[in-house]
DNA sequence: TAACTGTACTAATACAGACAGTACAGTTGC
DNA sequence: GCAACTGTACTGTCTGTATTAGTACAGTTA
């Protein structure tokens, strides 16, 4: 479900957070699907439960999951865009396009990549 | 030329590295333009020269600048894409598009953002 | 009741970012 | 030649944060 890369300089909790978010936005985790418990996922990845909790906590703040004490954590359903997040992502997208153009990547390739990213609907 | 955000959790040297790279790929810094010396920029930003050196060093490894001992550091000219970097950027682009689609951002807005990022040619 | 769930702490360790200081070799202009 | 600049390369030191270990408590479920 989630894999860790210890060579990656990014903190483990960020890798987990981003990995889970990716599963949700691509539809691999549907609305109200149950996520593994903090202890179960920690055990599976052989890391500390605190680290999982931190990732879950950030995802809940972002609105991608919701947690219910005693029951578990679940993927949030589709929702209208958080304006802040959308603005942030559009900014990143523009920067990436800038750099790709500098690297002489053609517009056709860019548009193809956009369609790729849209596959999951 | 470069501004630091101490609230940003990202390391200073990464902010400088990414900021300079942005100046280069957007054309604000043309081929063979001279960058500030490590000591001058460090003084201007009120940080340690070692931190600047680290940012410059990474940019040189990436091929965005070149440094000549005794002379200074300069922006590299346009170049054909480093395949590794292009692949990396296309991957990031797809992930961002995925998430934006999940947040119900329409295709028109995505394409508009791509054109925005292409402004500098 | 027992076993699970999320959550909230404290304390200890390890690592990386940033700093200070020093040094050396190449370049430039006087 | 000399002074002032350039990049580069070290040695430390300090601090913040990521991660771990351990414990605890309240809600849920069978």
């Amino acid at each position: 479900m989630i894999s860790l890369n210890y060579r990656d300089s990014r903190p483990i909790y960020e890798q987990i957070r981003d990995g889970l978010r990716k599963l949700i936005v691509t539809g691999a985790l549907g609305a109200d699907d149950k996520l593994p418990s903090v202890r179960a996922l920690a055990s599976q990845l052989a890391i500390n439960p605190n680290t999982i909790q931190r990732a879950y906590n950030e995802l809940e703040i972002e609105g991608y999951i919701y947690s219910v004490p005693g029951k578990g954590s679940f993927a949030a359903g589709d929702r209208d865009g958080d304006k802040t997040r959308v603005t942030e992502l559009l900014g990143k997208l523009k920067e990436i396009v800038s750099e790709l153009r500098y690297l002489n990547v053609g517009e056709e390739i860019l548009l193809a990549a956009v369609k790729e990213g849209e596959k999951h609907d």
Side-chain angles (χ1 to χ4, degrees), chain A:
Chain A
M1 191 175 202
I2 293 287
S3 65
L4 295 182
N5 177 10
Y6 285 97
R7 294 184 186 178
D8 193 333
S9 66
R10 290 161 57 217
I12 296 177
Y13 80 93
E14 286 190 10
Q15 293 186 41
I16 295 169
R17 181 196 62 193
D18 295 349
L20 287 174
R21 186 168 47 216
K22 187 176 177 182
L23 288 179
I24 292 173
V25 304
T26 57
L29 276 175
D32 301 317
D33 277 356
K34 192 171 187 307
L35 277 69
S37 76
V38 289
R39 289 174 180 82
L41 187 52
S43 163
Q44 176 191 324
L45 297 178
I47 61 176
N48 194 285
N50 293 336
T51 306
I52 306 291
Q53 191 198 339
R54 179 160 183 184
Y56 279 20
N57 183 43
E58 297 207 354
L59 284 171
E60 183 164 22
I61 291 175
E62 291 178 358
Y64 286 94
I65 70 174
Y66 61 92
S67 295
V68 185
K71 299 191 70 173
S73 299
F74 309 86
D78 277 75
R79 63 203 181 99
D80 284 314
D82 167 344
K83 275 192 180 178
T84 309
R85 181 75 179 158
V86 169
T87 305
E88 179 188 341
L89 289 173
L90 285 176
K92 283 188 185 175
L93 188 145
K94 288 174 194 170
E95 288 199 9
I96 289 177
V97 169
S98 268
E99 188 170 348
L100 282 169
R101 290 296 289 155
Y102 173 79
L103 293 171
N104 288 325
V105 173
E107 178 166 340
E108 328 77 48
I109 297 182
L110 292 183
L111 296 180
V114 170
K115 295 223 169 190
E116 268 282 316
E118 285 183 338
K119 263 191 322 194
H120 316 278
D121 275 335

